[in-house]
Structures are given as structure tokens and as C-alpha cells.
Amino acid sequence: MAALRVAVLLLLVLCLRGAAAAVPLVIWHGMGDSCCNPMSMGYIKKMVEDKIPGIYVLSLKIGNNMIQDMQNSFFMNVNDQVRDVCGQLAADPRLQGGYNAMGFSQGGQFLRAVAQRCPSPPMLSLISIGGQHQGSVYGFPRCPGESSHICDWIRKTLDLGAYTQAVQEHLVQAEYWHNPLKEEEYRKNSVFLADINQERGVNETYKKNLMALKKFVMVKFLNDTMVDPPISEWFGFYKSGQAKETIPLKETSLYTEDHLGLQEMDKAGKLVFLGVAGDHLHVTEEWFYSTILPFLQ
């Protein structure tokens, strides 16, 4: 009887280990969205949970409720948001062994900032779906809710003074606004993107932390009408001084001078570049299951 009890206990332990084997996932929504919208992040969360039994999925919420979370995606300083998220992750006991991260649109570059600035708990892999890693929405072609007053106001504000201190401190989209016609102004005054992209010097800690990722997956939307230029989703951008011709990551100084370690990561097979037909964040369940899910298992 004692031997039977021991065998049952061992079997139970093995089952519990199996149930906990799935690497946790942290997701961060994009502009104008929220953590738990059943039509967006809530739906993604359920898709992952249905396909990976036992996985813990944390959909990040910045604020006390969904309304605040949505508003903060427009108006809360990105550095403060990243600091808040780092605190959430550090305090979550289910993440201490490491986690995968998946960011949508601006959530992609925000999670990259988390990887660079907050290595504990460790981010294992980062999946950026439409993230603007060289900056974007240059010209702000559209934003969620095309007729919304908030979108019109943001456009006017960016046109008037994207790099002024007041706008940089309080308007999220200005903090990754990269104007190729004003590169020096961007490098000097950008409070977020210029920092995480090492535009003002190399922070070796940022570089070391990013290089610790096992995989850095970047998804570019081939028919994107929101991100300008779409190649920013693969770390490319406009040639400096004009807004017509673009260059890929490997021709940028960020890569050739390896400010972030991307060249070394590329040679090690850690960078994954995926293209998907469709407009910004428009994907099918089939594509998500066949292309993205394998990186989470």
C-alpha cells in the first residue's frame, strides 16, 4: 500500500510539472486598444489558452480599468508605462522563471524596452506584431477611429511640435515619432525611441539584455497603411534627409555599428523576419496558429 501511495504521488508530481511546463506569455496591446477587449486582446488571450493547455497569459493593463488603459495608450509617458510594466512583471510569481512576450503595434517596441531595461524576470522570446522599431507614424496616416476627435487633435499636435518637451512628455505617439527630415532634432529630443535605439550613445546594458533573447520575431504587414514606413516593422527606415527611399535594417548604422547587438543576434539566428499580407494588425486565425503559435511552445 505504501508503495502504491508513493507511485501515485510521483505520478501527481509529474502531471503537475507537465501542466506547468508551458512558458508564460505576456502581451501588450497597441494604440487605442486595451488589455481585455473581447474583440482584440481578450480574443488573442483565449486563442493561446485554448491551444496551449495550462499556459498563463498576462494581458498588460496600464491603469485601474479598461478605459484608463485605453487612454494611457495615447497620453501616458511611455517611460512611465514601461516602468509600471516592469513592476508588474517583477511582482508576478508566475513569471519568475521567465516568459515569452508578444506586442501588437506600439506594444511591440514597448516590450522591447522592457527587455532592454528590465532583465528580471527574464524575457525569453519577443514577438513584435507590427511594432515600429525605427519609429513611425510619420505623417500619422490614420489611427483607431478615423473620425475621432482624439485622432485629429493628435495629428495637429504632432504637426505643431512633436519634439517639444511638453508634447514628448505627454503624448505617446510623439515619443516614437521619427521625422527623417529632422534627424538631429529627433535624436536630441525624443524621450523614448532615441533612447532605446541607442541614438545618443551606446548603453551596454541595453545591448546585453536584448542579446539575451532566444528569439526576436518581427512581423511586418505587407499592405500596411498605418505605419509609415512599414519597413520600420523590420527595423528599416527612410534614408536620412528625405521621406521617399527606404533602407533595410542591414544598411542602417544601428546594424552596421551594432549598437543594439542586432547584427550579432542575426548571425546567431536569433532574428526572425516574417511578412504577412494585409493591413496593420489584420491577420487570420489560421496564420496565427500556424506561424506564431510555434514560437510560444
Side-chain angles (χ1 to χ4, degrees), residues 197 208 211 217 264:
N197 278 5
K208 176 185 175 183
M211 289 174 62
V217 181
E264 193 166 337

Side-chain angles (χ1 to χ4, degrees), residues 117-225:
R117 294 174 177 175
C118 307
S120 181
M123 184 185 296
L124 304 179
S125 293
L126 172 59
I127 302 170
S128 169
I129 301 181
Q132 306 95 341
H133 292 285
Q134 281 277 29
S136 178
V137 203
Y138 172 67
F140 207 61
R142 65 180 179 84
C143 75
E146 189 61 40
S147 62
S148 169
H149 292 304
I150 193 171
C151 296
D152 293 335
W153 182 85
I154 289 173
R155 286 191 187 93
K156 292 176 182 176
T157 302
L158 290 171
D159 286 339
L160 289 172
Y163 297 121
T164 62
Q165 182 176 354
V167 174
Q168 281 288 310
E169 289 293 335
H170 300 291
L171 183 58
V172 166
Q173 288 67 41
E175 295 171 49
Y176 57 87
W177 179 271
H178 188 172
N179 187 338
L181 305 180
K182 297 182 179 180
E183 289 283 0
E184 287 304 315
E185 193 175 353
Y186 154 72
R187 291 191 185 96
K188 180 180 178 181
N189 297 313
S190 170
V191 301
F192 173 69
L193 190 70
D195 176 64
I196 66 166
N197 278 5
Q198 310 274 46
E199 299 279 9
R200 295 188 286 261
V202 176
N203 181 325
E204 292 295 340
T205 299
Y206 282 7
K207 184 174 180 177
K208 176 185 175 183
N209 290 342
L210 189 66
M211 289 174 62
L213 289 173
K214 294 180 179 179
K215 289 289 182 183
F216 182 4
V217 181
M218 288 165 273
V219 177
K220 172 188 170 186
F221 291 88
L222 303 180
N223 308 104
D224 206 315
T225 63

Side-chain angles (χ1 to χ4, degrees), residues 18-91:
V23 176
L25 175 65
V26 173
I27 59 178
W28 198 338
H29 62 80
M31 171 176 62
D33 202 354
S34 68
C35 64
C36 313
N37 185 335
M39 300 299 291
S40 57
M41 293 301 99
Y43 189 69
I44 294 292
K45 182 175 184 291
K46 186 177 185 304
M47 287 171 62
V48 173
E49 291 170 339
D50 287 346
K51 291 294 183 179
I52 308 178
I55 191 172
Y56 170 55
V57 181
L58 172 63
S59 185
L60 293 167
K61 178 174 67 177
I62 314 299
N64 296 322
N65 52 56
M66 287 176 59
I67 298 298
Q68 286 187 7
D69 190 23
M70 182 275 291
Q71 292 174 339
N72 286 335
S73 76
F74 290 110
F75 301 118
M76 181 177 177
N77 184 284
V78 180
N79 295 311
D80 292 338
Q81 292 192 52
V82 170
R83 192 175 300 113
D84 179 279
V85 165
C86 290
Q88 290 187 45
L89 303 183

